[in-house]
Amino acid sequence: MSRTVPIRNTKIHKKPRVFDVTVNEEGNILEYRIQNIKGNISIEEAEVKKQIKEALAERAV
């Protein structure tokens, strides 16, 4: 079973969604979905993994 997780830019106050990832139950990324984005945005891999782990934990509850 897969799940879509929104990845947000936590460095900005409003924490806008930057892209979505589809992950499996173990948290492995299956697919990236990126919208048209103006400007230069970067998110560290550790932050992406953290947000995936949090999303999977929320679903388990």
Side-chain angles (χ1 to χ4, degrees):
M1 182 174 180
S2 63
R3 174 170 185 202
T4 299
V5 177
I7 302 300
R8 301 182 178 279
N9 186 348
T10 58
K11 295 178 183 177
I12 298 176
H13 177 67
K14 291 184 178 183
K15 299 179 179 147
R17 188 176 96 224
V18 179
F19 59 92
D20 296 329
V21 293
T22 302
V23 297
N24 62 14
E25 290 132 359
E26 291 84 35
N28 298 318
I29 298 172
L30 305 173
E31 178 181 61
Y32 290 89
R33 291 191 209 149
I34 301 173
Q35 300 177 6
N36 293 335
I37 299 174
K38 293 182 180 178
N40 183 9
I41 298 172
S42 65
I43 297 179
E44 296 176 3
E45 182 180 1
E47 179 65 26
V48 172
K49 289 182 178 183
K50 176 184 160 221
Q51 291 184 34
I52 290 170
K53 187 179 283 188
E54 289 171 354
L56 292 175
E58 285 177 10
R59 184 168 185 127
V61 172

